[in-house]
Amino acid sequence: MHGERCAGETVKNDDRYLQCAIGAAKEAGRIQMAHLNRFYGVEYKDEFNPVTEVDRLCEQAIVQGILRDFPDHDILTEESPFQGKGSPWRWIVDPLDGTTNYLHGFPFFCVSIGLEVEGEVRLGVVFIPTLDELFYAEKGKGAYLNGNRISVSRTGDLNKSFLCTGFPYDVRDHVDFYLSFFRGFLTRCFALRRPGSAAIDLCYLAAGRFDGFWELKLHAWDVAAGSLMITEAGGQVTAFDGQSFSIYAENILASNGSIHKAMRRVIADIQSNQI
């Protein structure tokens, strides 16, 4: 992992936090590719929420890399109980976002690492190893893909927009509820996708590949890095009702900014019909 840490071809500053995150993400990506399409045991945190040995290997590599450089920092990860030290510095890690995709050899999965400082996400890194796409952002410094600055799309008409979303693991228990949002947007946009990795969805929105995104019941590790990517790329992230977004919230609405109000109106219409 030491050899990956600097990532000199993409890091244009001396930020040791960013270099640590990139090094950890690339090491986890290497692990993912090394084990891809091999048979391994699968456990389930609940009926439809899988976790593999690769998830745990990636988490271990990331945690070790962070603690080696910053031993006093807290780390919140998807696969382990949080054991905080009371530090104002909190790394938020999804070691393998898109586990179901990974299990089936569908090449749409990634590593996501965010750094929250005193309650504010200040850094985000997302690495997609199958495409060798490295997204990163720092608060106030813009968002980048493989060293090139990115920005959100300019699409201003929801009817011409390209949207993405995802379904929570309890979708079978509330299928009509989740499909009401899917149906509502499907009839008001140009096209809609459900790729299976929220972190990638958010990064692709930041890069202008998607115009808007919504989802319910995500976790901090799903959105910490990607939400910063969007705001640093000139986009907008809020709760469904337009209030300030929290990575610990129950829902997320993200867009290029130009279609945000229109997306909020769609959600409001859907929610009014659910009452």
Side-chain angles (χ1 to χ4, degrees):
M1 184 167 167
H2 287 279
E4 293 282 350
R5 183 181 301 163
C6 292
E9 74 280 9
T10 56
V11 180
K12 298 180 180 179
N13 58 39
D14 224 2
D15 192 320
R16 62 195 184 110
Y17 303 104
L18 180 59
Q19 291 186 14
C20 176
I22 289 176
K26 285 197 167 186
E27 174 62 11
R30 184 196 66 76
I31 293 170
Q32 291 172 11
M33 296 305 292
H35 292 267
L36 184 62
N37 295 321
R38 296 184 180 182
F39 177 80
Y40 37 78
V42 181
E43 299 176 8
Y44 289 86
K45 290 176 280 189
D46 53 49
E47 189 175 2
F48 300 107
N49 192 353
V51 58
T52 72
E53 184 61 24
V54 178
D55 292 81
R56 296 191 175 97
L57 288 172
C58 291
E59 179 178 283
Q60 182 181 26
I62 294 168
V63 170
Q64 287 178 348
I66 292 172
L67 292 181
R68 182 178 57 240
D69 290 349
F70 307 105
D72 296 329
H73 287 192
D74 282 342
I75 303 178
L76 172 65
T77 72
E78 180 176 7
E79 307 305 341
S80 298
F82 179 63
Q83 296 179 334
K85 306 168 187 173
S87 172
W89 300 77
R90 177 184 292 182
W91 296 84
I92 302 172
V93 176
D94 193 336
L96 174 50
D97 187 40
T99 299
T100 299
N101 289 347
Y102 186 86
L103 278 170
H104 292 84
F106 183 62
F108 205 76
F109 52 84
C110 69
V111 187
S112 178
I113 301 174
L115 176 59
E116 182 184 36
V117 185
E118 296 181 339
E120 180 183 50
V121 179
R122 302 295 302 274
L123 178 153
V125 169
V126 173
F127 182 50
I128 309 170
T130 52
L131 300 174
D132 197 28
E133 289 188 331
L134 176 68
F135 292 86
Y136 63 89
E138 291 181 277
K139 184 74 174 180
K141 297 183 180 180
Y144 296 82
L145 166 56
N146 291 345
N148 299 309
R149 191 153 187 170
I150 57 175
S151 62
V152 294
S153 71
R154 297 181 180 179
T155 303
D157 183 350
L158 181 60
N159 190 55
K160 296 179 180 178
S161 64
F162 189 32
L163 306 183
C164 59
T165 189
F167 292 124
Y169 286 111
D170 66 349
V171 63
R172 289 192 178 188
D173 297 326
H174 310 282
V175 62
D176 290 335
F177 174 75
Y178 295 125
L179 284 178
S180 67
F181 291 93
F182 196 89
R183 185 182 303 110
F185 278 110
L186 185 63
T187 57
R188 292 173 173 88
C189 71
F190 181 78
L192 177 55
R193 300 290 182 265
R194 194 276 190 205
S197 166
I200 298 180
D201 291 345
L202 294 172
C203 287
Y204 278 18
L205 198 163
R209 297 172 180 175
F210 288 124
D211 303 310
F213 170 87
W214 84 94
E215 193 164 342
L216 296 101
K217 296 189 178 180
L218 291 173
H219 300 280
W221 47 77
D222 297 308
V223 299
S227 60
L228 178 64
M229 220 75 64
I230 291 172
T231 55
E232 286 299 311
Q236 187 174 2
V237 183
T238 68
F240 276 10
D241 60 4
Q243 297 299 309
S244 297
F245 174 70
S246 166
I247 61 173
Y248 303 101
E250 282 289 309
N251 57 62
I252 177 174
L253 174 63
S255 76
N256 60 7
S258 300
I259 62 170
H260 208 83
K261 288 183 178 178
M263 292 188 72
R264 279 184 56 199
R265 285 195 294 269
V266 172
I267 289 175
D269 289 345
I270 294 166
Q271 291 176 326
S272 66
N273 291 328
Q274 292 171 343
I275 297 175

